[in-house]
Amino acid sequence: MKRAKRAGLISEQSIKEALTEAKGDIFLASTALDCTARELDGYIRASAELQQFAAAIEKVKIDPAYSRMSVEQFENRLADLSLAYKIVGIEELHKLATMSHQNSGAMAKVKFQAALALRGGHQQVAGDREIEHALSELNALYHQNAPRIKEIRQTVIKLEGGQEVPQVTIELQPDQS
């Protein structure tokens, strides 16, 4: 510490700034000041002003009003970032919705979904699942209620010379379940 103090790198003001940035954590503040925590602690103990400053930081940290203010600041910052990211997202959706799909079915679907999202339809993912579920149900109902096909294929083989082989019929036996 004496080396840094002699070089003019550590002062009461720089210690206050480091403690403020580190929210009172001596170890983080000492890292910022490029000294050991023990050296920083000794300097704080030697100065009544720094002791009061460090005590004030600790007092503020346990104050419920400070905690509430920190939560409010966090929520406000989160709301600001969410709005900013929504703008970026809308710009990217616009790019997707207006790009050429180059005769690709997958890209056309991406373009369509981007256009839906821009329009305000936030149900495209759920909508796909709902459509798949509905088609699956319809398929199951069809297989359950469709009339059983008894005759599947009929084949007649004609050989050269006019000879005919009798018809072959393949039948599907209905399930007994």
Side-chain angles (χ1 to χ4, degrees), residues 20-175:
T20 302
E21 282 295 315
K23 297 180 182 172
D25 188 310
I26 291 178
F27 293 100
L28 291 176
S30 66
T31 302
L33 293 169
D34 194 26
C35 66
T36 66
R38 188 173 186 193
E39 289 173 326
L40 181 58
D41 181 58
Y43 197 62
I44 291 171
R45 290 180 187 274
S47 168
E49 184 178 344
L50 287 176
Q51 286 178 18
Q52 290 175 348
F53 186 80
I57 289 176
E58 289 304 315
K59 190 174 187 179
V60 167
K61 282 173 44 177
I62 61 172
D63 184 8
Y66 174 76
S67 294
R68 186 174 58 251
M69 181 182 68
S70 294
V71 170
E72 288 172 6
Q73 287 174 338
F74 173 77
E75 289 172 354
N76 289 340
R77 179 72 174 141
L78 184 61
D80 291 344
L81 285 174
S82 294
L83 287 174
Y85 292 151
K86 282 181 183 179
I87 290 171
V88 171
I90 288 173
E91 289 171 350
E92 290 302 314
L93 283 174
H94 181 261
K95 287 178 190 174
L96 283 172
T98 57
M99 69 186 281
S100 169
H101 60 78
Q102 302 169 350
N103 296 327
S104 166
M107 282 304 297
K109 183 176 180 182
V110 167
K111 185 175 178 175
F112 174 69
Q113 288 180 333
L116 281 178
L118 278 175
R119 191 194 69 188
H122 298 289
Q123 303 167 5
Q124 65 268 16
V125 173
D128 285 350
R129 281 192 224 126
E130 288 173 6
I131 290 171
E132 288 176 20
H133 182 70
L135 288 174
S136 175
E137 282 185 16
L138 285 172
N139 192 32
L141 287 171
Y142 172 78
H143 287 294
Q144 180 182 2
N145 297 315
R148 297 290 177 193
I149 299 173
K150 293 185 180 175
E151 189 176 288
I152 294 179
R153 185 178 301 155
Q154 200 172 41
T155 306
V156 176
I157 300 174
K158 289 186 181 182
L159 301 174
E160 282 186 31
Q163 239 182 350
E164 283 189 18
V165 175
Q167 293 182 333
V168 177
T169 304
I170 301 171
E171 291 186 13
L172 177 66
Q173 299 298 322
D175 291 340

